[in-house]
Amino acid sequence: MGMISEFKKFAMRGNVIDLAVGVVIGAAFGKIVTSLVADIIMPPIGLLIGNVDFSDLAITLREASVDASGAEVPAVVIAYGNFINVVIQFLIVAFAIFMLVRAINRLAPKKEEEAKGPSEDVLLLREIRDTLKANKAETGSSLPPA
């Protein structure tokens, strides 16, 4: 029963729900980026380099044919144009995520520890250090008097 309750505790955390929302939004954003690349960015680039549709660029390794039984055998191709589209989509998504994280990091408040200064432990260690230095200067020994 311990593992089930631990899993339930994990699944009900806010971070898991935030992650689920992020995945759904990310999927929708992925469709937008796919359309942006395929419908808006690549057509002008293809036009500039000679009226080429990148999604059609491929190296044919074997032409389509019909076998002895009359069944169609599809062509074997390396679709490098589609790969170029996917790489551009990835770069756009990666840049958008980079800009989002950068903006969030700028808007996020500084950690309280940085704003407050050194912790109590550090202050106590500094006090001990200073006391030891003072004892050494007075007695010539770093050990406290007995």
Side-chain angles (χ1 to χ4, degrees):
M1 260 334 217
M3 188 170 75
I4 293 173
S5 62
E6 186 178 344
F7 175 74
K8 182 179 176 185
K9 182 179 176 184
F10 167 78
M12 299 314 261
R13 280 169 140 175
N15 292 345
V16 174
I17 294 169
D18 292 345
L19 179 63
V21 170
V23 167
V24 171
I25 290 175
F29 183 68
K31 290 178 183 179
I32 292 170
V33 170
T34 299
S35 176
L36 174 71
V37 170
D39 301 332
I40 296 175
I41 294 175
M42 296 313 285
I45 292 174
L47 184 64
L48 288 174
I49 63 170
N51 222 9
V52 176
D53 181 7
F54 274 81
S55 61
D56 293 337
L57 293 178
I59 297 172
T60 303
L61 300 176
R62 185 180 70 200
E63 294 289 335
S65 61
V66 178
D67 66 7
S69 67
E72 186 177 325
V73 178
V76 177
V77 296
I78 297 174
Y80 68 91
N82 191 39
F83 177 75
I84 292 171
N85 282 344
V86 171
V87 168
I88 292 172
Q89 290 173 18
F90 168 77
L91 293 173
I92 291 171
V93 169
F95 183 72
I97 290 172
F98 167 75
M99 294 304 288
L100 180 67
V101 168
R102 189 171 178 230
I104 289 171
N105 286 341
R106 285 187 178 182
L107 293 176
K110 299 285 183 189
K111 289 184 178 177
E112 291 181 25
E113 294 174 14
E114 294 174 0
K116 290 181 182 178
S119 67
E120 284 186 48
D121 295 341
V122 171
L123 293 174
L124 183 59
L125 288 171
R126 286 181 183 169
E127 185 179 330
I128 292 169
R129 179 198 62 202
D130 295 342
T131 303
L132 288 174
K133 280 183 183 179
N135 283 343
K136 186 176 183 179
E138 290 175 10
T139 64
S141 171
S142 60
L143 296 174

